[in-house]
């Protein structure tokens, strides 16, 4: 076996291994041991070993969740060796990929093969299983989250069974495990639907807040992918419309793209956030300058080069999924709350959309959705802002993103998700002894 193991192995040494921290640095745990299995069979053996040792198990990808969904004081599984494409089926138009493969590597490999996912989120640092298990999404009128593009998955359950799930094979597991929160088992491989690579034309344009709100439904309807950012303490927004194009390709010039995406959006923005954290009264002035720094631009490129952007400034994030028809009212309330409070908010608010899907615990399950995401620079006190935002979002029936900061519990979520009981019943069947439990899952799913 090629499994790598690190840290002490005795069941009585819980929490004595090397500490693990997430990307944002707000979650830390100390597992007893870390393992890196190289196959589904090695993964199954590690699960059986953990059961014998009386240890809980969690899998972690790149740590891009802001919640403690991957934290454990037992066995931490790192999927570093579960990477790469198993097969591309051009007849079925699918790709099967190992669960620890970073989205970036998948996107590049698919592009080389003349293929692409239909939609994706705005970063691609996560592993495919980490992204799908927490409900990572982009924006789309007709095309949904990354998990909604799954056609089959391989799941290793608590007793070491390697189970294949699809609409035809174990369909009741497939209905839930595409966004499984790490509660049903460990995903070892995923089969995604793909299509021939295509071009997207991105049109980015500054727009006033009141106009975006007034035209939100129209902008959503007229564009395949629409999103916008509002800069708190201003009336300024930056809109982005992505639509399929017959070409020709017209990528961003290398220097111009670097200047806006790296120098302004990362380098200068990092300095502005650091200044704002040190001198909070300066934040409104900084926001006015920042919101005017990005100019209108149009470019055409392959999907992952349009959908995704580098995000090097570290932050904390809360995101809620609302019924799409509630979005504009919630945004007006959010703006009024910021303007009527002493809060100083240095990060823009991001707004995206998604069609309804059929995944049990998807934030878009059964309803057309608008996502409202708020951020604060890492190290900035966040509780006051996030609490006020959460109060607005829950009043509109919001569902929190599983991987982003929130305070909701199983009682709230059982009301928010019509299929919540379906998921927890499946969990009882697949993991009756709660091998995959941790504090976060106890809060959001009950025990």
């Amino acid at each position: 076996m090629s499994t790598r193991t690190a840290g002490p192995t005795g069941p009585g040494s819980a929490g004595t291994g090397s500490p693990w921290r997430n990307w944002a640095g707000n979650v830390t745990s100390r597992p007893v041991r870390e393992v890196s299995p190289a196959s589904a069979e090695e993964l199954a053996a590690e699960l059986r070993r953990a059961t014998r040792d009386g240890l809980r198990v969690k899998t972690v990808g790149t740590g891009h969740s802001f919640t403690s969904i991957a934290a454990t004081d037992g066995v931490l599984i790192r999927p570093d060796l579960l990477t790469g494409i198993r097969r591309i089926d051009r007849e079925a138009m699918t790709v099967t990929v190992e669960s620890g493969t970073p989205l970036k590597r998948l996107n590049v490999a698919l592009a080389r093969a003349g293929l692409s996912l239909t939609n994706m989120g705005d970063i691609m640092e996560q592993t495919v299983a980490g992204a799908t298990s927490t409900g990572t999404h982009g924006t789309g009128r007709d095309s949904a989250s990354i998990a909604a593009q799954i056609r089959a998955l391989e799941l290793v359950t608590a007793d070491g069974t390697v189970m294949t799930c699809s609409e035809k094979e174990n369909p009741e597991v497939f209905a839930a495990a595409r966004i499984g929160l790490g509660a049903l088992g460990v995903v070892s491989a995923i089969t995604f639907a793909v299509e021939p690579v295509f071009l997207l034309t991105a049109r980015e344009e500054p727009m006033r807040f009141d106009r975006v709100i007034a035209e939100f439904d129209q902008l959503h309807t007229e564009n395949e992918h629409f999103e916008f950012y509002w800069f708190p303490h201003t009336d300024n927004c930056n809109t982005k419309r992505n639509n399929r194009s017959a070409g020709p390709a017209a990528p961003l010039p290398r220097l111009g793209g670097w200047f806006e995406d790296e120098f302004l959006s990362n380098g200068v923005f990092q300095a502005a956030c650091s200044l704002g954290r040190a001198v909070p009264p300066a934040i409104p002035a900084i926001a006015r300058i920042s919101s005017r720094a990005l100019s209108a631009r149009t470019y055409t490129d392959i999907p992952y080069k349009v959908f995704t952007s580098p995000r090097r400034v570290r932050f904390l994030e809360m995101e809620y999924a609302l019924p799409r028809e509630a979005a504009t009212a919630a945004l007006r309330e959010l703006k009024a709350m910021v303007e009527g409070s002493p809060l100083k908010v240095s990060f823009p608010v991001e707004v995206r959309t998604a069609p309804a899907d059929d995944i049990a615990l998807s934030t878009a399950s059964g309803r057309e959705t608008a996502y409202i995401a708020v951020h604060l620079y890492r190290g900035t006190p966040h509780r006051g802002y996030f609490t006020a935002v959460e109060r607005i979002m829950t009043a509109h029936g919001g569902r929190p993103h599983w991987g982003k900061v929130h305070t909701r519990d199983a009682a709230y979520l059982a009301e928010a998700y019509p299929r919540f009981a379906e998921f927890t019943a499946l969990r009882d069947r697949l993991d009756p002894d709660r091998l995959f439990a941790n504090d976060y899952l106890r809060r959001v799913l009950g025990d």
Side-chain angles (χ1 to χ4, degrees), residues 323-347:
R324 189 168 62 80
E325 62 272 15
T328 55
L331 285 163
R332 288 188 190 279
E333 292 169 31
L334 174 57
K335 187 171 187 286
M337 181 274 292
V338 171
E339 291 174 349
S341 77
L343 293 167
K344 298 293 183 285
V345 182
S346 58
F347 255 82

Side-chain angles (χ1 to χ4, degrees), residues 242-263:
N242 297 332
N243 291 286
R244 295 198 183 210
S245 169
L252 285 170
R254 180 168 294 183
L255 182 58
W258 172 86
F259 180 75
E260 292 214 340
D261 293 337
E262 283 290 354
F263 182 72

Side-chain angles (χ1 to χ4, degrees), residues 91-123:
E91 184 175 343
M93 289 304 285
T94 60
V95 58
T96 301
V97 61
E98 302 284 350
S99 61
T101 306
L103 282 166
K104 182 174 185 177
R105 191 180 305 177
L106 173 62
N107 286 333
V108 171
L110 286 176
R112 286 175 179 162
L115 301 169
S116 177
L117 297 172
T118 297
N119 199 357
M120 59 194 75
D122 58 8
I123 64 169

